[in-house]
Amino acid sequence: MLERLSQISSHTRAAASVEEVHPLDPLSAGEIKQASTIVKSTYPDLPITFNVISLADPKKAEFLAWQADPENIPKPAREVDIVAIEVGKSGVLEGLVDLTAGKVISWKHIEGVQPILTVEDLSKVERIIRTHPKVIEQCVISGIPESDMHKVYCDPWTIGYDERFGNERRLQQAIMFYRSDEDDSQYSHPLDFCPIFDTETEEVIAIDIPPIRRPVSKEKHSNFTPKAVEEEFGYRKTVKPIYVEQPEGVSFKISGREIEWQNFKFHVGFNYREGIVLNNITYNDHGNVRPLFYRMSLAEMVVPYGSPQHPHQRKHAFDLGEYGGGYMTNSLALGCDCKGVIHYMDAAFPDRAGEAVTIKNAICIHEEDDGVLFKHSDFRDNYATSVLVRGVKLIVSQIFTAANYEYMVYWIFHMDGTIQLEIKLTGILNTYVINPDEDTEGYGTRVYSNVIAHNHQHLFCLRVNPMIDGVNNSIQMVDATRNPYPTGHPSNPYGNGFFPKATVFKTTGEAITDYDGSTSRTWDMFNPNKKNQYSGKPPSYKLVSREAPELLPKENGIVWKRAAFARHTIHVTPYVDRQFYPAGVYVPQTSGEPSKGLPEWIGDGTGSIENTDVVLWHTFGITHFPAPEDFPIMPAEPMTLLLRPRNFFSKNPALDVPPSHAMTTSQARKANNVGITSLTDTVSRLAVDDSTCCSK
């Protein structure tokens, strides 16, 4: 938290200026200032603080019409979503500002909801609870002297939902810790009580105290600072540096926020909630520019913890809907977070006063070696006949910090037309104090003396609006299926028959499906109005995602009700402008009665999703049973999914990538066993000099 606040304090306050921008560009610092000024001048006597000032995406039909004929079709209006809080009043003020016209075009008060928590909201909690008499009392009971209150820390979390308080007050729960020294990691010294904090009145309204008290640990802190590592066992002396050089420069071109790379072209957006948003992804298929996806983003996530003891049931953070993947994003460091030849993009967000705060280097764009793209050798001449092509991949990434966890988000483009999403989890386990003789009951693992880390899940929701060769698309589920006839039957005489069984979804209800590893289940987004010239099948992009665990909290429980999107692996809905958030627009302190977002949009399940503009929602993630190896800081754990072209191209789309080696049979015969040398790499060398290897 302190590191994040340090970043914020070093960011620049931007002056108001509005420049010519692409319709999908995030708001600039000047536009944020302009939007807040319009609101303030329209409602000069209204005491408000700003929570959200963000681009309202242009309506899809208007954008596509302008894109097709920008000379004659007007550019979509630059509209801004506003969420504000009226001082002393519950609920939110929701507005829409037209920057082009310079006016507020809608403004309403919504009761019974709470807005997202910002870094400014989080930052005040620790300062105030340190001086609260009842918090001090509980610290003393826990074994911390009153004189050490400056050593007490907390991670402010959204409260989830607590039926005692409802959603009239804007609340946070303070997860409590202790540091002996300011450089210590507090997670090895958690405390057993939990204050409840009113964000707007800055009051501690309650403190949850467990029936069994657990004093603060007297063990030495488990740290990961350089000083701590050097004192314990020192750093390895065997790690040699690896440098990345691109002497001829990068292979991508950037115009504003549009990127062209290896036949791909796309726009990079960024907002307070989803973080990176990829728009208008196309592929230049030898002169034929073909649309792939209109919009892709991480739309939501939930992290349910598995201890049923109060108040741990409240630990199920919606890190995007309750805090925002953009608001929590890090400023990335050259040579550290990204390595090589880097292009950065900044991000701008509002503070409570409506001034702009710029986060430098919020997005990293760079290339990496992608290993072997394809290879084949022929045994007939001792493998002299061969071809080998190495690939390069383009990565668009961000890293955001949600209290103890870091989420590293990588959107990866490959030369064969594949798009990959990889997420790596690192940071620190959320911990709780446990007595030496206390049973974990299986709900967590002791990762250090008197420290338990509870079981939990990380479940993400990917939102994809496909536009495969056009706006009208369909979705089908594909399962590997055995021939239904028994071995010996005329249709399956040897018992080895199997095939892909495709089920085309006609309605939203039919599309509610789950991953099945036993059938290698995948899902195709396809254009039913086109056919591949060879296979006769429609062009598609296949979702390949094998890390899709079941939501473990039980049906009708608080998590199940609030995180309805995570109940199933796949949902599909008809496209609706600005319908982005599968757990609802306002997530903090929702009760889940009724469930918001996807259940509302799907309704009775009869909505048509065949051969029309559709949105696919995919839940994926991991189930984490902590271990001591995850502490005091967790090695990065990756998860990934692929969007792969199937029946989209007429042949391997990477055939035109220059080979590292290529030798035909006739060339091999003439070469007479001359050693293989790279056509593209003059830098690689042997680790140990061996004159018998790789002769030229």
Side-chain angles (χ1 to χ4, degrees):
M1 177 63 68
L2 289 177
E3 179 183 354
R4 172 60 178 162
L5 294 176
S6 175
Q7 290 177 0
I8 288 289
S9 67
S10 66
H11 293 158
T12 57
R13 302 275 170 176
S17 63
V18 179
E19 59 276 354
E20 191 71 17
V21 292
H22 187 282
L24 297 172
D25 282 355
L27 296 185
S28 66
E31 289 178 311
I32 289 172
K33 175 66 174 177
Q34 181 190 4
S36 67
T37 300
I38 291 170
V39 171
K40 290 175 183 177
S41 62
T42 305
Y43 305 101
D45 299 323
L46 194 62
I48 62 171
T49 60
F50 290 95
N51 181 263
V52 172
I53 302 177
S54 187
L55 176 73
D57 279 36
K59 294 179 179 178
K60 183 176 181 180
E62 292 180 5
F63 173 80
L64 292 178
W66 168 81
Q67 180 178 250
D69 189 8
E71 298 297 324
N72 298 303
I73 301 296
K75 183 184 290 189
R78 194 83 167 144
E79 295 182 347
V80 180
D81 282 324
I82 304 287
V83 177
I85 301 168
E86 184 176 354
V87 177
K89 194 169 184 178
S90 181
V92 302
L93 292 167
E94 182 181 88
L96 190 65
V97 170
D98 186 334
L99 288 184
T100 309
K103 64 180 181 179
V104 176
I105 55 179
S106 71
W107 191 258
K108 59 184 176 181
H109 178 254
I110 302 177
E111 295 182 354
V113 300
Q114 294 294 344
I116 204 165
L117 290 169
T118 67
V119 174
E120 286 181 279
D121 296 324
L122 302 175
S123 66
K124 65 176 73 172
V125 183
E126 192 169 82
R127 169 177 54 84
I128 292 171
I129 66 168
R130 282 175 171 168
T131 62
H132 194 278
K134 291 190 177 299
V135 175
I136 295 172
E137 178 185 358
Q138 291 304 314
C139 286
V140 171
I141 292 172
S142 297
I144 301 169
E146 185 173 348
S147 59
D148 275 3
M149 285 306 296
H150 63 288
K151 297 180 179 180
V152 173
Y153 291 77
C154 77
D155 282 355
W157 279 42
T158 173
I159 198 172
Y161 182 76
D162 191 316
E163 62 277 2
R164 295 174 298 171
F165 309 116
N167 58 15
E168 289 302 308
R169 304 180 73 166
R170 192 164 176 243
L171 302 179
Q172 301 180 57
Q173 56 180 328
I175 313 299
M176 303 296 294
F177 303 95
Y178 173 75
R179 296 184 191 179
S180 297
D181 180 85
E182 65 176 346
D183 292 333
D184 284 332
S185 169
Q186 72 260 22
Y187 298 98
S188 59
H189 285 65
L191 306 183
D192 72 345
F193 63 94
C194 183
I196 308 301
F197 181 81
D198 187 310
T199 308
E200 297 307 311
T201 64
E202 301 187 357
E203 297 175 280
V204 174
I205 67 167
I207 300 179
D208 285 327
I209 301 168
I212 299 174
R213 297 314 301 262
R214 303 168 179 91
V216 65
S217 172
K218 301 301 183 182
E219 294 286 336
K220 180 181 178 181
H221 279 72
S222 180
N223 289 323
F224 49 87
T225 60
K227 178 183 177 182
V229 174
E230 291 288 4
E231 288 178 352
E232 186 170 2
F233 35 61
Y235 284 108
R236 301 179 191 185
K237 308 298 183 183
T238 55
V239 180
K240 305 298 183 183
I242 295 177
Y243 300 108
V244 178
E245 295 183 354
Q246 292 181 268
E248 298 181 19
V250 298
S251 301
F252 56 86
K253 297 179 181 178
I254 295 183
S255 175
R257 299 185 72 97
E258 287 188 301
I259 299 178
E260 292 185 66
W261 180 83
Q262 301 300 317
N263 301 318
F264 283 108
K265 184 176 182 180
F266 56 95
H267 180 277
V268 180
F270 197 82
N271 66 48
Y272 74 101
R273 187 158 172 170
E274 299 161 289
I276 292 171
V277 177
L278 301 180
N279 267 107
N280 206 30
I281 305 172
T282 64
Y283 191 93
N284 189 332
D285 188 4
H286 301 284
N288 179 20
V289 177
R290 303 173 67 182
L292 303 179
F293 302 97
Y294 181 70
R295 193 181 192 275
M296 286 200 297
S297 68
L298 276 179
E300 190 54 271
M301 61 179 289
V302 67
V303 186
Y305 281 74
S307 173
Q309 298 173 355
H310 184 83
H312 302 299
Q313 85 286 351
R314 292 199 306 246
K315 292 181 181 175
H316 55 277
F318 293 71
D319 286 325
L320 303 186
E322 292 180 323
Y323 305 98
Y327 278 162
M328 298 186 295
T329 205
N330 292 188
S331 292
L332 304 178
L334 190 65
C336 297
D337 301 294
C338 302
K339 195 173 181 68
V341 183
I342 309 299
H343 178 80
Y344 289 116
M345 292 181 176
D346 299 341
F349 298 117
D351 64 12
R352 290 171 67 90
E355 299 292 329
V357 178
T358 298
I359 300 177
K360 301 294 293 183
N361 302 348
I363 302 172
C364 172
I365 300 163
H366 75 294
E367 295 170 297
E368 290 182 3
D369 179 83
D370 200 18
V372 174
L373 189 56
F374 58 84
K375 177 179 180 176
H376 180 67
S377 301
D378 195 329
F379 70 91
R380 294 173 179 84
D381 53 8
N382 199 28
Y383 307 107
T385 299
S386 62
V387 61
L388 188 148
V389 175
R390 292 190 67 84
V392 176
K393 57 187 176 184
L394 178 73
I395 304 174
V396 182
S397 63
Q398 73 167 117
I399 300 173
F400 65 90
T401 299
N404 51 298
Y405 261 108
E406 265 73 22
Y407 296 96
M408 302 184 284
V409 181
Y410 303 94
W411 296 92
I412 305 171
F413 293 80
H414 297 272
M415 287 177 154
D416 64 355
T418 297
I419 301 173
Q420 177 184 3
L421 173 59
E422 181 178 58
I423 300 176
K424 293 182 178 180
L425 280 61
T426 182
I428 306 176
L429 297 167
N430 175 261
T431 56
Y432 189 65
V433 61
I434 186 170
N435 287 325
D437 58 351
E438 189 173 352
D439 186 359
T440 67
E441 301 183 56
Y443 295 123
T445 303
R446 292 177 185 269
V447 294
Y448 192 61
S449 297
N450 304 325
V451 176
I452 185 173
H454 289 132
N455 308 329
H456 57 281
Q457 295 184 286
H458 300 264
L459 301 176
F460 302 84
C461 185
L462 171 69
R463 181 187 183 276
V464 182
N465 181 203
M467 203 161 72
I468 311 298
D469 277 339
V471 171
N472 290 341
N473 282 191
S474 292
I475 311 293
Q476 65 184 15
M477 180 174 68
V478 181
D479 291 288
T481 305
R482 293 184 178 92
N483 187 305
Y485 295 101
T487 301
H489 188 278
S491 295
N492 195 22
Y494 304 103
N496 64 313
F498 61 90
F499 53 87
K501 178 183 177 182
T503 304
V504 178
F505 300 140
K506 298 182 183 298
T507 65
T508 55
E510 292 177 6
I512 300 174
T513 50
D514 294 304
Y515 177 68
D516 187 344
S518 68
T519 65
S520 301
R521 180 169 288 173
T522 57
W523 291 266
D524 292 344
M525 294 165 274
F526 67 96
N527 188 325
N529 308 298
K530 306 283 182 69
K531 288 186 178 180
N532 184 281
Q533 64 180 16
Y534 296 121
S535 69
K537 297 179 180 180
S540 74
Y541 260 70
K542 177 182 293 293
L543 170 63
V544 182
S545 182
R546 302 182 181 95
E547 294 171 286
E550 180 182 2
L551 176 67
L552 292 178
K554 283 193 170 182
E555 184 173 350
N556 293 323
I558 184 62
V559 179
W560 187 90
K561 289 188 286 188
R562 296 188 73 218
F565 71 89
R567 298 175 194 166
H568 299 283
T569 308
I570 293 291
H571 298 82
V572 182
T573 58
Y575 175 85
V576 176
D577 282 321
R578 301 173 181 172
Q579 191 179 78
F580 298 136
Y581 306 126
V585 175
Y586 299 103
V587 178
Q589 298 175 236
T590 55
S591 66
E593 297 178 353
S595 298
K596 299 296 183 181
L598 279 170
E600 296 177 300
W601 308 335
I602 291 172
D604 63 4
T606 60
S608 175
I609 53 170
E610 190 175 19
N611 199 12
T612 188
D613 195 355
V614 295
V615 176
L616 180 142
W617 311 81
H618 169 49
T619 299
F620 65 101
I622 62 169
T623 299
H624 190 179
F625 299 122
E629 291 88 344
D630 298 328
F631 201 71
I633 188 167
M634 192 174 82
E637 180 165 356
M639 67 189 80
T640 196
L641 60 85
L642 302 174
L643 297 170
R644 301 197 65 200
R646 300 282 85 183
N647 304 294
F648 188 84
F649 298 107
S650 60
K651 58 183 64 177
N652 180 349
L655 286 177
D656 56 356
V657 177
S660 295
H661 171 75
M663 184 172 287
T664 64
T665 301
S666 60
Q667 289 172 330
R669 185 166 41 307
K670 294 176 183 178
N672 193 24
N673 294 323
V674 173
I676 294 175
T677 58
S678 175
L679 300 173
T680 58
D681 183 354
T682 61
V683 177
S684 295
R685 59 185 178 87
L686 295 174
V688 179
D689 188 23
D690 182 356
S691 59
T692 65
C693 171
C694 307
S695 58
K696 297 185 179 180

